[in-house]
Structure formats: structure tokens, C-alpha cells
């Protein structure tokens, strides 16, 4: 590889810091074409001062204040976590609401995908047999049944992509009447009617649990319930589950992909293992793709409350009306209280990996994270675990925790997941395909068989945000139409992670 | 089956209610040999009034007040949940401490088991390859590796019982510095050094997570760590995990069972899917076995804070000293606050199945639940996830939630689990054998291939508590020595469920 020119990335004209783009970082004394000289070694993704700072001076990235200088910092010095004082989060009572609602971009015509049409009006991107559960107690038995179904039955039904057990830790031993129990309960109910299950779902319950198996059986067909306490032991349970699974596999096998409008797509966006490039490569490119999707009629979910909280003043102006604005603020307030109750705050979000990747604090992380939302108007806000109701850009409130966010987006009806990563995670879901976008070319190269799209080319100048945005948009359509992502090729399926803020008993 | 005589079970001389023992319940007009006549149909396990009650009169079972009559109840009537007012829980500031510490029962000599001796002084009951994880992100990849290890490698090492991935939902996206984060963290650390892993453990981490993989690598050997971000993609990860797994399988395969003292046993007791028989059949028999185990030098754990809370006044007198008494009270206080914070209370514990099985409220459930603890002195109290330090009867504080309790008892070092059930659950764990004891013969018959021991014979008068107690004691020794329980025969393995009272981020 040719030794690269020293390169920094400055995002906004107003910025007084920039990040070092070169793989491996740059050494003391490095001189940039503009004349800036590094006063010390700076790792890749970390910030260099573009000006001199006195103590208390604002540090600006993405055109926003990410903090204040803890001490004097000289031009060319490394601006580290320890040199930045965390600012107060935006005051939730002083936010401008719907003051700059973006006008709708011109519709994007001529795009469709090959998917499955469901009776309830939703669209599937995969043809899965879903087996949902009302309580963790049944998971051990169901696992054995599912292994046998995959081995003995699934090969006979080639049009069915997979069998998915919706296992979780909820259902009993929980304070099911506590106010916040509504979150895990509606999550499980909405997961059970996921569009990729094509209206077929089998519910396995125990019989004495707090969450009733009937409450997960949307269609109310007695035949779709297996309550283990009604059966004559293990062998009888396994045989029953397999028999009922095969009936459903037969029906699912009849389904065919057909041309579907992009309004059938519910694309969930998320980042995980972020670094300082997330906000300049992968996330803006995903944001560009989000705008294309919205223009084409799709629903786009962005999430991760703790990564939105510090940038919420940039989002409330973008909502379509007062009601959506207040809903957004309500979710922020709820989460502030939730963290406070557990004696934590938003500063608990960045991980050691984020920091190693150059993200100094949650403000900087949030500014990079919301780039995924593109520039459209925010048409709706969903509390955790609720199903989408509107087309366009929607804020689905979730923790930033990767699989908790993914699970809640699935409950919202997500049928394609787009996941950006800087440090790298082999993330995969069983219920919907996951498209992984790397923020850096080094990661895309190193994890050649895990990363679907390399957005690092934006940092090296070999591709533009627009180009990668279109690439992601087309990749989403191909994926929705049946093309298997890298994670799917290997069969990487992380477990569901429910969000249960209510107590265990 | 011969039609049984009408039978009720009265536990204590002072009781003014008894439970109907007959399968299928009894009908109105049924006359018992003592002359009592039922005023209405009463289902099996449900309570009949043995006297007339005025409104406000105490209702007594197990010799304790389980509540007060909501209205007049006549002798022979069904005493339902709706007719009982829940009493206040015992005042934690008014408890007698160490006032009736039981004198040690005579030692029980001559019993040993065939187990594995570990270098750290602990004893294994199974010979497992444990692969622990520092974050949920790695689980999808590890699952695939473990499936291949089981299929391609494990058959070459017949002395190794199984390969167990310690997957969980913790490690990142969590407020890791919140005060209560100590619970999941120490749980994972203690699970990683479980006695059934024989001192060998492989740690798989991602590289950017909040919980450092190093903190799970007790021996600190660099070679025991696989950090996925260090590898060249999926194939490289799988190959590395398999290679390191095989090195450990080779060493584990050299191990042999040998004679071990019963002081090497850490037996965890739990009930789940309880009914009104739990407190008169299975739990007292397990309590008898617990006394035998303590006499033989073993460590016995009982748990489930919400099922101890209402009977804690019967436990604090039994502790060995003030310090242990205060530790027990501290765990009750902590849980009271935890429930209150989530706007729930102890009344959230009984499940619909418990109630269907005749348990009217948490007081009645608790009195039946603590019968598992037998009659020994309580020598220690462990906060959730801590490792045992003393031999004898220990209260390990945990939620009552079945797999959360099981996971925390495993972290404490449990190498045999005894699980009593009335309604029935196919409970199984991967890390230690689970002996399942039914409270009713009907369940043991119906679930013939899942229940190990039928304690229902106590209710029908065909066996005594002492006889079943000895049977359980011998079954535990056989199980510890390698005999496979019903759940093990089928390979039923429920997932670990961590207790994380701290917030997600
Ligand atoms: Ca994120
Ligand atoms: Ca995330
Ligand atoms: Ca219990
Ligand atoms: Ca339990
Ligand atoms: Ca699992």
C-alpha cells in the first residue's frame, strides 16, 4: 500500500478540531498540506486542535459544541477525552419544536423489491417459520425441537428460509403489573406478528406463567398454541411441536416472492462499536440512503435514545408537528429518569472501544449517531416496542445497546436492518437480514467475510457520501429481495434481548 | 385407579384451613371421615375452612397467619384468594436474631461421591469445557463454533461431558459504573470459574465492550483469550476458537472421577411452578435431604428473596450470629427497595399457575417455599452472584425467577441443582445437573420422562417425608457421581439469565 498523505477530516466550517484519517495514526512533527504541524503522536480517528484554546473555550465538531477545554490546548495538540469538559445536555423544556420541518424531497420513482405480501398489508423480506414463546421455561425443550425441525423438516420445504424460535427471558418471575412491564409485553406481542412470519406463528407456552400464551396468539386459533403442561412429557411435547411446525412449513412453502412497492420496507438503522469515523463516513452515507428510502415511500427507523439525547436540539426542529415533538421529548425525559433511578447518566454510554476509536464523549458520539437519520422530516415517534404506524422517517425510542435496539426495531416491524460499525461487531439477527457497513476500510478489509459495505472509502476520498449512499440503498433493495448478507451466509444469529425496565420477582 | 377416600392435608395443629388432596378435587357434599362436609366444590390443592370465620379472623396454615378473612367464611367452604386479606410483611426492624440457632445435628458419616477434584480445592460433578463471553455481540459467532465443536471434536474426547457457552445479554450497552452493576459483573466472573469447568476456561470477547474479557480470565493466561476484533474475519474466528477448544478438550479428557467427600457438594435448592402441595410434599422432603446434606458436610443453598420475605421471622432466629442475621435483613431491605423503585411489591410474586394450584398469596407461598431449607442453622448469607465461602446451610439471595435464581446459584458454585415443581416445568441447565422433584403424583405420572422423583407419594400416604428425603439425598449423590438426570438425558439446557438491576444505556 502506498504511504498516504497526512490527512485530517474537518466536518463543518465552524469546527476547531478535526480527526486524523490515516490508518495507524500520525506521528509528532507531521506537517499537513495546510501547514498544521502535530505537536504529539495522534492515533487514527482522534482529534487534533486546529486552533489554540484557553481553558473554558468551546470545542466545536460537526458545527456543534462537544465540550469545553479543561486547560490550555495548543494548535496541533491531541484533544483527548481528559482535555474536554462535558457540557450540560440540551434543556428539554427549551427546545424549538417543528421550527425547521424539512419540506418533502421529490418522490423517487421506479424502485420496487421482490418480497412477500402478507394478508395484513405488511411485506416480508424473508419467509420464516416463527415460533414464539410466552416464557423462558419452554426454551430448553423448544431448542431441541427447533434443531430437529431444521434437520429433519426444513430441507423438505425449500421456499422457507429458516425456523426461528423467539426465545427470551421474560414471561414469569417478573412484576407483570408494574407500570413499565408494558414495554416487554408489547414487544413480545409485536414480535409474534413480524412481517417475515407471513401471518403464521406457533406459540409455545408452559401453562402456569404470568404472560399468557394466548396473548401472543394474534389470530386466536386454538391450533396455534402448544401449552407444555397439557402434554404427556418430553417426547409428546417434541412430537407435537414438530407436527404443528410441519403444517405451517407446508403452507409457508407455497409462498412466492413478487414485486412489492418500497413502501413495504421498514428499514431499521443502528450503529454499534462506533468510532470517530462513524459520523463522517458510514452514518452520513446511511443518512443519504435514508433520504432515498423516504423519497421512495419506505419507512425508516432511527433509535438509540442515549445517542440522541445530546443532539435532540437538532432533531426537535425537524419534526412534523408539536405532537411528534412532545412525544420525542417525552422519550428523552423517560430515559433521563430511568438512568437517574439506577444512579447512572448519559455519560455511561460511550464504551472503551468508542473512546479508543476517538470518540471523547457522548456529545461527540451523539452528533455522529444522528447523521444516520439523514435530512427528512420526522413524522412519528414510537415508544419502545411499539409497531410502526406511518411511512417516512420515524424515531423508534430504544436503548443504544445493540441487540436491545435490534429487538425493539424488529418489534416495530423492521424487515431490513442496517448496522454501521467502526470497531467491528459480527452482529446478526434471525428474524431479518442485517446489512453491515464499516466506517473504515481497514475494518472492511480485515473482516472481509463479515462486512457488506465499506464506507471507509469516503475518508480516503475514493468515494463520496452520495455514492456510498446509493450503494447502500441498492444493497437494501437487493437484500430485501432475497440476496443474503454476509451474516446470513454464515448463519450468525444473535439472541433477542428484551428491554424490561420493570423489576424481577 | 381405585377411587380414593376423600382426603385433606392439615400441616400444623393450629391450622384452621387444610388443602384438598384428591386428584381432580372434591365435590360439594363430600363428607370426610372426621365429619367435615364440603359446602361447595373445591379443586385439588385448594383450601377448605376447618372452622367458621368472622370477617377479620386470622387464617392459619403451617401454624402461621397467612391472612385475614375478608368476610364471613363457613366451615366446609372454599377459602379462596378473594376471601383472604394479605397481612403486612414482617417488620424488618423487629426481627429476633439468632434467638433459636439450631444445635448441630449429629454428623452423618460414610457417604462420598465420585467426582472431579480441582486444583483450587473445589469439586466437579461434570467434566465440561466452558467457554465464557464478555459481551453478547460474540454469541452469534460462538454458537456456530460450539455447534461445530460438539459435532466434530467432542466425540473424540469421551471423558468430556459437554461444551458449554456462557452466553448472556451483558457486557456492553449497560451502565457499567452504576452501583448495582456489581451484581452481573461478579456473577459472570464467578460463572467463569465454575467447578464443573475444571479450571479450564476459554474467554471469547469482542474488543470494544465495556466488560473487559481479561476480567473473566481468572488465570490470566493470554492463551485463554480470543478477542474477535484481533482476527481476520469470521473463518479465522471460528478456526481459532475450535483450535483452542481442542487443546482444552485434550486436557479435560485426561480427568477421571475419583472418590470425593460430600463437603465437595454445593447443592442449590429452588422451587418453580409451585402449588399448595409444594409446602407439604416436595419442599419438606427436600428440606429433610438438606439436613442430611448439612450433616454430611455439604453446602446447601436456598434462595428466592420474594419467597423468603414473608417468612423471614422464621429464619432470622435460625442464623448462627448477629452478623449473618443482619446480612439476611439487608438482602430483604435491598429487595423491598428494588421492587418499590419499579412500583411493584412482593404481591407481584405468585403466578396464575401458583394460584390455580391453590396458593392464595405470597405468604402461603413463602411458608411452603422455606420448607426447603430444612432445620439447620443458617451459617452465611450471600449477596446475589457471590461465591460460597462456608459449608452448611447458606442463604444465597436471588430473585425467585427460575433461571435467574439458577444462574446466581451456579455463580455461587452450585454443582447439583434440586428443583421442586407442582405445576411442572421442563427446567434444565447446561452447567450442572438438575434433579426435578414433583409435588404431586399426577404430575410425575404425566411427565414421566421429565420428573426424577415423585414426592406426591407423601400426600397419598404411600411414603413419608423421611423416606422421600433419603431418596432425594441418595439421588443427589448418584447424580453428583455421574448419573444423568431426566433433563440431561434429553439435553434440555435453558439459557443463563443474568440479574442486572442497573440500567441499560
Ligand atoms: Ca449507536
Ligand atoms: Ca447501538
Ligand atoms: Ca419458588
Ligand atoms: Ca423459583
Ligand atoms: Ca440461546
Amino acid at each position: 500500500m502506498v504511504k498516504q498523505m497526512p490527512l485530517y477530516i474537518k466536518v463543518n466550517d465552524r469546527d476547531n478540531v478535526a480527526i486524523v484519517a490515516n490508518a495507524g495514526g500520525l506521528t509528532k512533527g507531521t506537517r499537513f498540506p495546510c501547514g498544521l504541524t502535530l505537536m504529539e503522536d495522534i492515533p487514527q480517528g482522534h482529534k487534533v486542535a486546529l486552533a489554540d484554546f484557553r481553558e473554558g473555550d468551546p470545542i466545536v465538531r460537526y458545527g456543534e459544541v462537544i465540550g469545553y477545554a479543561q486547560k490550555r490546548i495548543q494548535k496541533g495538540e491531541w484533544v483527548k477525552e481528559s482535555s474536554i469538559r462535558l457540557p450540560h445536555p440540551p434543556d428539554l423544556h427549551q427546545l424549538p419544536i417543528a421550527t425547521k420541518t424539512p419540506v418533502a424531497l421529490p418522490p423517487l420513482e421506479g424502485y420496487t423489491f421482490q418480497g412477500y405480501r402478507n394478508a395484513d398489508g405488511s411485506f416480508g423480506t424473508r419467509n420464516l417459520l416463527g415460533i414464539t414463546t410466552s416464557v423462558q421455561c419452554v426454551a430448553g425443550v423448544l431448542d431441541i425441537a427447533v434443531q430437529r425441525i431444521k434437520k429433519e423438516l426444513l430441507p423438505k420445504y425449500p421456499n422457507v428460509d429458516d425456523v426461528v424460535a423467539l426465545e427470551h427471558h421474560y414471561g414469569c418471575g417478573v412484576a407483570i403489573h408494574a407500570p413499565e412491564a408494558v414495554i416487554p409485553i408489547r414487544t413480545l406481542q409485536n414480535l409474534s406478528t413480524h412481517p417475515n412470519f407471513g401471518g403464521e406463528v406457533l406459540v409455545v407456552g408452559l401453562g402456569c406463567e404470568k404472560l399468557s400464551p394466548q396473548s401472543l396468539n394474534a389470530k386466536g386459533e386454538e391450533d396455534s398454541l402448544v401449552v407444555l403442561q397439557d402434554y404427556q412429557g418430553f417426547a409428546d411435547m417434541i412430537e407435537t411441536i414438530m407436527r404443528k411446525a410441519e403444517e405451517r412449513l407446508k403452507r409457508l412453502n407455497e409462498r412466492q416472492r413478487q414485486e412489492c412497492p418500497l413502501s413495504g420496507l421498514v428499514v431499521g438503522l443502528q450503529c454499534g462499536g462506533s468510532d470517530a469515523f462513524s459520523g463522517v463516513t458510514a452514518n452520513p452515507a446511511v443518512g443519504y440512503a435514508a433520504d432515498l428510502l423516504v423519497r421512495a415511500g419506505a419507512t425508516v427507523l432511527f433509535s438509540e435514545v442515549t445517542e440522541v439525547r445530546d443532539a435532540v436540539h437538532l432533531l426537535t426542529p425537524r419534526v412534523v408537528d408539536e405532537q411528534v415533538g412532545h412525544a420525542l421529548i417525552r422519550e428523552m425525559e423517560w430515559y433521563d429518569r430511568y438512568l437517574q433511578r439506577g444512579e447512572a447518566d448519559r455519560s455511561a454510554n460511550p464504551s472503551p472501544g468508542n473512546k479508543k476509536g476517538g470518540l471523547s464523549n457522548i456529545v461527540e458520539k451523539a452528533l455522529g449517531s444522528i447523521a444516520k437519520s439523514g435530512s427528512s422530516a420526522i413524522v412519528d415517534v414510537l415508544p419502545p416496542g411499539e409497531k410502526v404506524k406511518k411511512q417516512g422517517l420515524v424515531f423508534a425510542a430504544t436503548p443504544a445497546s445493540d441487540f436491545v435496539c435490534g429487538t425493539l426495531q424488529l418489534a416495530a416491524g423492521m424487515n431490513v436492518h442496517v448496522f454501521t460499525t467502526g470497531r467491528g461487531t459480527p452482529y446478526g439477527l434471525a428474524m431479518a437480514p442485517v446489512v453491515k457497513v464499516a466506517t473504515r476500510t481497514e475494518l472492511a478489509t480485515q473482516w472481509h467475510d463479515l462486512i457488506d459495505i465499506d464506507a471507509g472509502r469516503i475518508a480516503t476520498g475514493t468515494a463520496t457520501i452520495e455514492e456510498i449512499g446509493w450503494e447502500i440503498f441498492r444493497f437494501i433493495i437487493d437484500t430485501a429481495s432475497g440476496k443474503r448478507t454476509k451474516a446470513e451466509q454464515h448463519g450468525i444469529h444473535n439472541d433477542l434481548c428484551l428491554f424490561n425496565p420493570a423489576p424481577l420477582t
Side-chain angles (χ1 to χ4, degrees), chain A:
Chain A
M1 207 160 130
V2 180
K3 191 156 166 41
Q4 272 194 321
M5 284 275 290
L7 183 69
Y8 65 68
I9 301 176
K10 180 179 167 176
V11 187
N12 187 290
D13 275 350
R14 280 179 292 166
D15 292 359
N16 53 23
V17 294
I19 62 167
V20 168
N22 302 70
L26 292 172
T27 50
K28 180 176 170 174
T30 299
R31 202 182 149 86
F32 292 90
C34 67
L36 178 75
T37 303
L38 293 191
M39 310 278 287
E40 56 191 318
D41 294 357
I42 302 186
Q44 188 193 32
H46 285 252
K47 287 177 286 299
V48 56
L50 301 178
D52 292 328
F53 293 81
R54 284 158 311 177
E55 191 187 327
D57 278 351
I59 298 168
V60 179
R61 196 179 167 217
Y62 299 105
E64 295 285 324
V65 176
I66 63 166
Y68 300 92
Q70 290 275 19
K71 48 171 184 141
R72 276 194 55 190
I73 304 170
Q74 280 185 281
K75 192 170 166 172
E77 274 191 291
W78 182 6
V79 182
K80 298 179 196 181
E81 183 191 357
S82 62
S83 23
I84 308 179
R85 181 160 52 77
L86 190 65
H88 289 291
D91 181 345
L92 295 177
H93 302 288
Q94 304 280 340
L95 292 170
I97 296 177
T99 46
K100 289 185 188 167
T101 309
V103 289
L105 292 165
L108 186 63
E109 315 272 9
Y111 291 92
T112 59
F113 75 105
Q114 294 293 315
Y116 298 94
R117 284 173 186 269
N118 297 321
D120 67 356
S122 70
F123 294 81
T125 59
R126 294 292 180 269
N127 188 23
L128 305 172
L129 170 60
I131 307 181
T132 188
T133 60
S134 49
V135 68
Q136 52 191 326
C137 308
V138 306
V141 169
L142 181 56
D143 271 346
I144 296 169
V146 167
Q147 280 169 33
R148 285 193 50 192
I149 295 167
K150 286 189 183 185
K151 205 174 147 191
E152 299 168 30
L153 303 179
L154 192 58
K156 298 198 279 174
Y157 304 98
N159 288 343
V160 183
D161 293 311
D162 209 349
V163 181
V164 177
L166 278 77
E167 294 175 359
H168 56 82
H169 296 181
Y170 200 72
C172 213
V174 292
I176 206 154
H177 298 298
E180 285 156 358
V182 296
I183 295 175
I185 294 171
R186 73 175 164 229
T187 303
L188 287 172
Q189 287 168 342
N190 287 335
L191 286 171
S192 297
T193 56
H194 191 275
N196 286 347
F197 297 153
E200 295 284 352
V201 76
L202 191 58
V203 183
V204 178
L206 183 60
C208 61
E209 64 271 38
K210 287 179 182 166
L211 182 68
S212 93
Q214 285 76 12
S215 72
L216 300 180
N217 187 19
K219 285 186 171 172
E221 293 163 351
E222 189 60 35
D223 181 58
S224 299
L225 276 186
V226 181
V227 175
L228 299 188
Q229 285 174 351
D230 293 343
Y231 292 87
Q232 302 300 311
F234 176 77
D236 193 20
M237 295 168 188
I238 296 288
E239 199 184 294
T240 306
I241 296 170
M242 289 185 70
R243 180 169 45 74
K244 285 179 185 272
E246 184 151 27
E247 289 162 14
R248 282 156 186 79
L249 285 171
K250 275 187 189 141
R251 290 199 291 267
L252 289 169
N253 199 51
E254 301 298 312
R255 308 187 85 210
Q256 301 287 345
R257 285 190 184 268
Q258 51 188 293
E259 191 162 8
C260 301
L262 287 206
S263 60
L265 288 184
V266 181
V267 178
L269 309 178
Q270 198 196 159
C271 51
S274 299
D275 64 9
F277 287 95
S278 298
V280 291
T281 62
N283 290 354
V286 165
Y288 192 88
D291 285 348
L292 296 176
L293 287 163
V294 169
R295 289 173 57 193
T299 299
V300 175
L301 309 174
F302 74 111
S303 294
E304 305 180 286
V305 171
T306 51
E307 292 174 18
V308 155
R309 178 67 181 87
D310 277 272
V312 70
H313 59 293
L314 304 177
L315 295 174
T316 48
R318 285 173 54 192
V319 301
V320 285
D321 57 31
E322 286 275 323
Q323 205 184 329
V324 174
H326 287 299
L328 181 57
I329 293 167
R330 219 159 35 234
E331 293 303 327
M332 301 295 122
E333 281 172 336
W334 183 91
Y335 218 98
D336 280 359
R337 277 199 309 277
Y338 163 73
L339 287 173
Q340 196 181 13
R341 197 174 76 184
E343 297 175 57
D345 63 35
R346 73 208 212 283
S347 72
N349 176 314
S351 68
N354 292 153
K355 291 177 182 174
K356 212 169 153 191
L359 290 174
S360 296
N361 65 23
I362 184 60
V363 184
E364 187 178 10
K365 187 173 175 181
L367 291 167
S369 181
I370 64 156
K372 299 194 294 297
S373 70
S375 63
S376 307
I378 299 166
V379 297
D380 203 7
V381 169
L382 298 176
E386 281 204 354
K387 205 117 184 168
V388 285
K389 289 178 283 289
K390 293 188 186 161
Q391 279 156 10
L393 180 67
V394 172
F395 180 70
T398 74
S401 184
D402 292 356
F403 299 99
V404 180
C405 172
T407 298
L408 291 167
Q409 289 187 339
L410 285 168
M414 167 175 81
N415 50 21
V416 177
H417 199 27
V418 178
F419 192 96
T420 70
T421 185
R423 311 298 301 168
T425 146
Y427 193 109
L429 297 173
M431 288 173 58
V434 178
V435 178
K436 285 207 289 292
V437 183
T439 70
R440 292 174 301 121
T441 297
E442 296 77 40
L443 175 65
T445 309
Q446 184 194 343
W447 279 19
H448 57 97
D449 54 3
L450 285 166
I451 299 295
D452 295 292
I453 293 173
D454 171 20
R457 289 171 289 157
I458 296 166
T460 54
T462 55
T464 63
I465 286 175
E466 291 73 14
E467 282 164 355
I468 305 285
W470 274 101
E471 188 175 327
I472 294 169
F473 174 71
R474 293 200 184 90
F475 201 97
I476 290 168
I477 293 175
D478 290 348
T479 300
S481 303
K483 178 179 164 172
R484 293 162 77 216
T485 65
K486 293 270 170 69
E488 283 182 297
Q489 289 164 30
H490 306 303
I492 300 175
H493 293 163
N494 289 80
D495 282 348
L496 295 174
C497 279
L498 285 188
F499 183 39
N500 177 23
L504 304 188
T505 61

